């Protein structure tokens, strides 16, 4: 609807430009014709709004110091009366209740020079004074009757932007209700304006002349941080769940590696049964992660795996223990609401129809904006609570009576800084019923007698855990501006002030004021000096205890089952069942015993075989029949001896034993064959040698005969 109004305004201006010159006044008849035409299109603009488009006004302009040859006499050396209202950090003034006199600052006892007036807007107006060559007198709304009856100014009134606007409206009856109000405030030239934190809005543009915004901001959410309750898996939070999965996968991979390099009879400490081997290797890998050397490797590859697993364990334990403390103590904080969208978007993860939003009545735009958002979706329900001021709303959020509030970003950031400064933050924060006291000890004992005993007091300290924070992005952007009364009989001043505002902004002065008066959220530190003793509760490690207890229970159940079976075997009246169970148990025990005996027999047999081989070689050397590699003096060795027969075994074990013995027999046969070949070669060599000797002897005899 707001965009439609802008379109209508533009069209009317264009039509007016074609119908009459810009400076002329549109006739009543022509105006009524245009009004009736646009009403047919259901545009929401009343008669006064349309009239504003065609009213002829004159304005005063201002030229910057860089404008050569331009005079600025329309503003120079003039004194303007400025109506301000108490709205930190934009405007602050001392003795705002006027307990020391001068209600409304009529006597000008509070000035920029003496420090009685301060704030972002006050500093900005001081710059305006300097560049435009004028002077400002400052007033604030203080009701005459209320002050006369009570002796102080109404705090809600002096904080109210509406009261400041009413005081500026000197042609209305309400202006005379305030000290310094009435026609005398602006004078015949209407040298007056209002400043503070006036947000540019449609209503403001209709009622007043508005300058260009000197600062652009928006609304910001304020919520309270909470310490999350530890859950079942708090002990695992130092690692992301993906990292835990990676650790489990690593344990499995190392276990499989142990199966190949240490299993299948290589390592006597591992089962030869495939299923048992899987359990043994995975158990070995897991115990290394836990820092327990359950088994010893028998191969170089196994030793390398153990070293790698132990190094991985070292890194894992160091990283885990380095992070677990902060996670168990719940250092991270959470908020119920992260941004404004969580209040009005039902698809948001943090949306909750029970969320309570506090709305400050002294800023009608807050309520209007919330109603506008809720009007876009009739199914939305947001619970609200209203207070007079944003400081009260923030106190309700701090107390936990409201979940969130929102207001102008500079104001809420300044207020949050005040909460931190006064110790209303952290795990040991709180507040006193005496709002001027911020320390717990001082609240409970504001005065002491001569013996240093506390005097009785009505003060009560309320402890609060958590801190107020601004959250989410800035939304509903707007600008702060100076406002001037609509006085048609004199030239408008807002155009000249807008030129000065732009000049100051271009020089970067507004950024400096922003940095000076609006504290960064990252720089806030809690003023509370009390440090609570940090202790872990059962809930912090209940998940770890439960898992450990579950594993222990499983081990206990398995142990009880074994005892039950053994007891059942002894006392079971069913002889067949008992016999079967006893046979199964004895069979398993005998199989385990036999495996050890078989390994011992193999070792003894191999040692005996080596001793026999050594003895045979020694005898061959003694008789000169041992083949020393030169092909001489060799005889056939005795036949190889087969290993002794083995007892009855299960089929699988028997097959493995047969394969082992067959391999050994083949090896022995191979060695015997090689020896036979060497012996035959030696025999052939001896025969050839003998033949050569016989031939030589024959030739010698023949030669002897021939000689004779």
């Amino acid at each position: 609807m707001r965009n439609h109004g802008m379109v209508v305004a533009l069209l009317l201006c264009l039509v007016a430009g074609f119908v009459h010159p810009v400076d002329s006044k549109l006739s009543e008849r022509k105006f009524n014709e245009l009004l009736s035409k646009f009403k047919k299109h259901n545009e929401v603009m009343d008669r006064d709004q349309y009239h504003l488009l065609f009213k002829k006004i004159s304005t005063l302009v201002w030229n910057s110091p860089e404008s050569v040859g331009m005079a600025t006499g329309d503003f120079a050396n003039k004194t303007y009366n400025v109506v301000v209202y108490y709205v930190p950090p934009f405007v602050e003034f001392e003795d705002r209740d006027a307990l020391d006199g001068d209600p409304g600052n009529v006597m000008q006892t509070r000035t920029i020079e003496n420090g009685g007036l301060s704030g972002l807007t006050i500093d900005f107006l001081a710059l305006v004074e300097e560049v435009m060559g004028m002077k400002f007198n400052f007033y604030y709304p203080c009701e005459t009757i209320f002050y006369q009856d009570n002796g102080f100014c109404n705090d809600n009134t002096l904080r109210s932007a509406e009261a400041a606007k009413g005081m500026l409206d000197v042609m209305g009856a309400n202006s005379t209700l305030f000290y310094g109000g009435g026609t005398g405030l602006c004078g015949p030239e209407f040298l007056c304006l209002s400043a503070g934190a006036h947000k540019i809005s449609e209503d403001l543009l209709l009622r007043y002349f508005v300058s260009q915004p000197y600062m652009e901001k928006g609304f910001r959410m304020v919520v309270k941080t909470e310490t999350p309750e530890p859950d079942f898996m708090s002990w695992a939070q130092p690692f992301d769940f993906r990292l835990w999965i990676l650790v489990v996968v690593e344990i499995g991979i190392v276990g499989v590696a142990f199966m190949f390099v240490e299993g299948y009879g290589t390592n006597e400490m591992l089962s030869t049964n495939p299923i048992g081997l899987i359990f043994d290797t995975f158990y070995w890998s897991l115990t290394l992660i836990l820092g327990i050397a359950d088994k010893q490797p028998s191969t170089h590859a196994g030793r390398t795996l153990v070293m790698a697993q132990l190094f991985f364990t070292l890194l894992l334990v160091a990283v885990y223990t380095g992070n677990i403390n902060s996670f168990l103590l719940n250092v991270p904080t959470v908020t119920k609401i992260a941004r404004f969208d969580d209040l009005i978007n039902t698809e948001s993860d943090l949306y909750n129809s029970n969320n309570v939003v506090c709305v400050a009545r002294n800023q009608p735009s807050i309520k209007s904006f919330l109603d506008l958002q809720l009007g876009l979706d009739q199914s939305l329900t947001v619970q609200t609570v209203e207070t007079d001021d944003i400081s009260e709303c923030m106190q309700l959020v701090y107390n936990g009576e409201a979940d969130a509030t929102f207001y102008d970003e500079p104001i809420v950031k300044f207020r949050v800084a005040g909460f931190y400064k006064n110790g209303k933050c952290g795990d040991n924060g709180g507040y006193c019923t005496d709002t001027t006291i911020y320390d717990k000890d001082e609240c409970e004992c504001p005065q002491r007698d001569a013996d240093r005993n506390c005097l009785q007091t009505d003060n009560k300290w309320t402890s609060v855990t958590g801190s107020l924070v601004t959250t989410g992005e800035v939304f509903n952007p707007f600008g702060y501006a100076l406002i001037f009364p609509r006085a048609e009989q004199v030239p408008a001043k807002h155009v000249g002030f807008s030129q000065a505002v732009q000049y100051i902004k271009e020089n970067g002065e507004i950024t400096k004021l922003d940095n000076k008066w609006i504290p960064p959220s990252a720089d806030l530190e809690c003023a509370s000096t009390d440090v609570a003793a940090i202790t872990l509760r059962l809930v912090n490690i209940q998940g770890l205890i439960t898992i450990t207890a579950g594993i222990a229970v499983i081990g206990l159940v398995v142990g009880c089952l074994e005892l039950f079976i053994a007891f059942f075997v002894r006392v079971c009246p069913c002889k067949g069942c008992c016999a079967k169970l006893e046979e199964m148990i004895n069979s398993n025990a005998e199989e385990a015993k036999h495996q050890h005996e078989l390994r011992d027999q193999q070792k003894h047999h191999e040692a005996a075989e080596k001793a026999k081989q050594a003895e045979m070689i020694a005898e061959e050397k003694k008789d000169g029949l041992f083949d020393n590699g030169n092909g001489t003096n060799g005889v056939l060795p005795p036949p190889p001896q087969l290993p002794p027969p083995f007892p009855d075994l299960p089929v699988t074990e028997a097959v493995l034993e047969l394969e082992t013995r067959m391999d050994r027999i083949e090896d022995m046969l191979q060695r015997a064959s090689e020896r036979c070949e060497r012996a035959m070669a030696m025999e052939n060599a001896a025969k050839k040698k003998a033949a050569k000797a016989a031939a030589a002897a024959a030739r010698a005899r023949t030669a002897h005969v021939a000689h004779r």
Side-chain angles (χ1 to χ4, degrees):
M1 192 63 68
R2 186 176 302 176
N3 293 333
H4 293 164
M6 295 294 293
V7 173
V8 172
L10 178 60
L11 291 175
L12 282 175
C13 290
L14 293 175
V15 172
F18 285 110
V19 175
H20 286 283
V22 175
D23 292 336
S24 64
K25 184 177 181 180
L26 189 67
S27 66
E28 188 71 17
R29 183 179 61 81
K30 289 289 187 181
F31 175 79
N32 289 330
E33 289 179 1
L34 287 173
L35 181 61
S36 61
K37 288 180 182 180
F38 282 99
K39 281 184 176 180
K40 292 180 181 179
H41 297 281
N42 297 323
E43 297 294 344
V44 183
M45 292 183 72
D46 58 24
R47 183 183 181 86
D48 293 336
Q49 292 173 332
Y50 280 107
H51 263 298
L52 290 176
L53 296 173
F54 301 99
K55 283 186 177 181
K56 179 181 178 180
I57 61 172
S58 60
T59 62
L60 298 179
V61 296
W62 174 81
N63 297 293
S64 70
E66 283 76 12
S67 300
V68 180
M70 295 292 184
T72 58
D74 293 334
F75 295 97
N77 302 319
K78 296 291 182 69
T79 299
Y80 280 73
N81 293 329
V82 183
V83 180
V84 296
Y85 60 100
Y86 190 81
V87 52
F90 293 95
V91 177
E92 298 181 72
F93 40 85
E94 295 180 352
D95 188 30
R96 63 177 184 268
D97 297 330
L99 297 176
D100 297 333
D102 194 14
N105 203 40
V106 176
M107 305 301 295
Q108 297 300 302
T109 57
R110 307 171 187 85
T111 64
I112 300 176
E113 291 75 13
N114 63 19
L117 289 167
S118 61
L120 189 152
T121 298
I122 298 299
D123 286 353
F124 165 71
L125 291 174
L127 293 173
V128 174
E129 277 186 324
E130 181 180 352
V131 299
M132 299 186 73
M134 60 176 59
K135 178 176 174 54
F136 290 136
N137 290 328
F138 294 94
Y139 298 83
Y140 68 89
C142 179
E143 296 169 305
T144 306
I145 297 177
F146 186 93
Y147 184 82
Q148 292 174 351
D149 293 342
N150 299 279
F152 59 89
C153 296
N154 189 324
D155 192 65
N156 291 332
T157 301
L158 60 88
R159 293 174 179 270
S160 173
E162 292 300 318
K165 296 174 187 176
M167 187 173 174
L168 184 66
D169 189 9
V170 295
M171 303 306 295
N174 291 335
S175 180
T176 59
L177 301 178
F178 304 97
Y179 282 99
T183 56
L185 177 67
C186 295
E189 297 184 34
F190 280 84
L191 303 180
C192 58
L193 67 144
S194 179
H198 295 298
K199 292 190 288 291
I200 298 176
S201 63
E202 294 178 0
D203 178 69
L204 198 70
L205 292 169
L206 290 173
R207 294 171 56 189
Y208 304 94
F209 287 130
V210 181
S211 74
Q212 179 183 349
Y214 57 89
M215 179 176 284
E216 290 80 19
K217 292 294 181 180
F219 291 144
R220 192 75 179 271
M221 294 287 297
V222 179
V223 297
K224 190 176 78 167
T225 60
E226 297 179 346
T227 301
E229 282 296 324
D231 56 24
F232 183 79
M233 296 299 291
S234 290
W235 61 272
Q237 289 180 355
F239 289 166
D240 183 74
F241 75 94
R242 288 179 288 267
L243 184 54
W244 282 115
I245 293 175
L246 180 63
V247 171
V248 174
V249 171
E250 192 274 344
I251 294 173
I253 293 175
V254 174
V256 172
F258 276 136
M259 288 176 57
F260 286 100
V261 302
E262 294 287 331
Y264 302 105
T266 305
N267 193 316
E268 298 180 358
M269 304 182 72
L270 298 176
S271 173
T272 57
N273 184 288
I275 303 299
L277 180 62
I278 293 175
F279 282 105
D280 280 351
T281 53
F282 276 81
Y283 178 74
W284 191 1
S285 177
L286 178 61
T287 53
L288 286 175
I289 289 291
L290 299 177
I292 303 172
D294 178 69
K295 295 175 176 61
Q296 295 297 326
S298 60
T299 65
H300 293 297
R303 296 185 184 95
T304 304
L305 279 176
V306 170
M307 287 190 296
Q309 190 73 336
L310 290 176
F311 183 71
F312 177 76
T313 301
L314 177 65
L315 297 179
L316 187 69
V317 172
V319 174
Y320 182 82
T321 55
N323 292 335
I324 193 171
N325 184 56
S326 62
F327 280 86
L328 290 180
L329 297 177
N330 289 309
V331 173
T333 57
V334 296
T335 59
K336 289 184 178 180
I337 301 171
R339 58 187 185 276
F340 182 78
D341 189 60
D342 296 332
L343 292 174
I344 60 174
N345 186 1
T346 56
E347 296 181 358
S348 172
D349 295 336
L350 298 179
Y351 174 79
N352 190 335
S353 59
N354 295 322
N355 286 333
V356 179
V357 181
C358 185
V359 178
R361 284 190 291 264
N362 69 330
Q363 190 70 275
S365 60
I366 303 292
K367 179 67 173 175
S368 301
F369 177 78
L370 185 60
D371 292 341
L372 176 63
Q373 299 301 317
L374 296 178
L376 299 176
D377 187 352
Q378 300 296 331
S379 63
L380 286 176
T381 57
V382 177
Q383 301 183 35
T384 60
V385 59
E386 296 186 6
T387 62
D388 292 330
D389 186 70
I390 181 60
S391 59
E392 297 178 9
C393 273
M394 294 176 68
Q395 185 65 44
L396 291 183
V397 175
Y398 183 65
N399 297 346
E401 300 175 40
D403 296 308
T405 187
F406 62 94
Y407 208 78
D408 301 15
E409 182 192 24
I411 296 175
V412 296
K413 293 179 73 173
F414 183 84
R415 294 286 185 182
V416 168
F419 272 71
Y420 280 69
K421 180 180 178 181
N422 296 329
K424 294 182 179 180
C425 50
D427 294 334
N428 296 284
Y431 60 92
C432 184
T433 52
D434 185 347
T435 56
T436 62
I437 300 177
Y438 306 109
D439 182 74
K440 180 179 179 181
D441 295 335
E442 184 180 355
C443 175
E444 296 176 346
C445 184
Q447 294 180 339
R448 297 178 181 272
D449 57 20
D451 297 329
R452 303 299 297 168
N453 296 319
C454 289
L455 299 178
Q456 186 175 2
T457 179
D458 295 331
N459 291 347
K460 181 181 178 182
W461 178 265
T462 302
S463 296
V464 179
T465 300
S467 304
L468 293 183
V469 294
T470 56
T471 185
E473 63 281 354
V474 176
F475 57 97
N476 188 42
F478 49 75
Y480 296 113
L482 307 176
I483 64 174
F484 302 80
R486 282 189 171 274
E488 300 179 12
Q489 62 272 29
V490 296
K493 317 296 190 305
H494 66 289
V495 175
F497 275 86
S498 294
Q499 293 171 315
V501 168
Q502 184 62 30
Y503 175 78
I504 294 172
K505 291 171 67 176
E506 289 177 353
N507 289 336
E509 298 296 334
I510 300 300
T511 302
K512 295 178 182 178
L513 296 179
D514 193 326
N515 296 333
K516 174 183 177 181
W517 288 100
I518 303 176
S521 300
D523 295 342
L524 297 179
E525 294 184 2
C526 187
S528 177
T529 57
D530 294 333
V531 179
I534 300 176
T535 56
L536 294 179
R537 296 172 293 165
L538 176 62
V539 68
N540 292 101
I541 54 175
Q542 64 176 356
L544 185 59
I545 293 176
T546 303
I547 293 175
T548 304
I551 297 174
V553 168
I554 293 175
L556 182 62
V557 170
V558 173
C560 291
L561 182 61
E562 292 176 346
L563 292 175
F564 173 76
I565 293 175
F567 177 78
F568 183 74
V569 169
R570 294 193 200 95
V571 301
C572 179
C574 176
K575 295 184 178 179
C577 297
C578 291
K580 188 64 177 177
L581 289 174
E582 186 175 3
E583 181 182 353
M584 292 173 58
I585 295 173
N586 292 335
S587 176
N588 292 333
E590 290 177 358
E591 181 179 355
K593 181 179 179 181
H594 175 69
Q595 290 179 1
H596 291 288
E597 292 178 350
L598 185 59
R599 294 192 187 99
D600 293 339
Q601 290 178 4
Q602 290 176 352
K603 289 183 179 180
H604 291 310
H605 179 68
E606 291 175 356
E609 183 178 354
K610 290 180 179 179
K612 289 182 179 180
Q613 293 291 339
E615 182 179 356
M616 182 176 63
I617 292 173
E619 291 178 355
E620 289 178 355
K621 287 182 177 180
K622 181 178 179 181
D623 298 336
L625 299 177
F626 177 69
D627 181 12
N628 53 11
N630 57 9
T632 60
N633 299 329
V635 296
L636 291 175
Q641 298 294 326
L642 293 176
F646 51 85
D648 294 335
L649 291 176
V651 176
T652 303
E653 297 295 334
V655 171
L656 291 175
E657 178 64 21
L658 286 174
E659 290 179 352
T660 301
R661 294 190 178 187
M662 289 298 295
D663 291 340
R664 210 157 37 242
I665 292 172
E666 289 179 359
D667 184 57
M668 295 172 65
L669 290 175
Q670 180 66 26
R671 291 199 298 269
S673 176
E674 292 175 355
R675 291 182 177 180
C676 288
E677 290 178 356
R678 288 197 298 270
M680 292 177 65
M682 293 169 61
E683 184 178 0
N684 291 333
K687 289 181 179 180
K688 289 180 180 180
K689 187 175 181 180
K692 288 181 179 180
R699 286 194 299 270
R701 286 194 300 271
T702 302
H704 179 71
V705 172
H707 180 71
R708 291 180 62 183

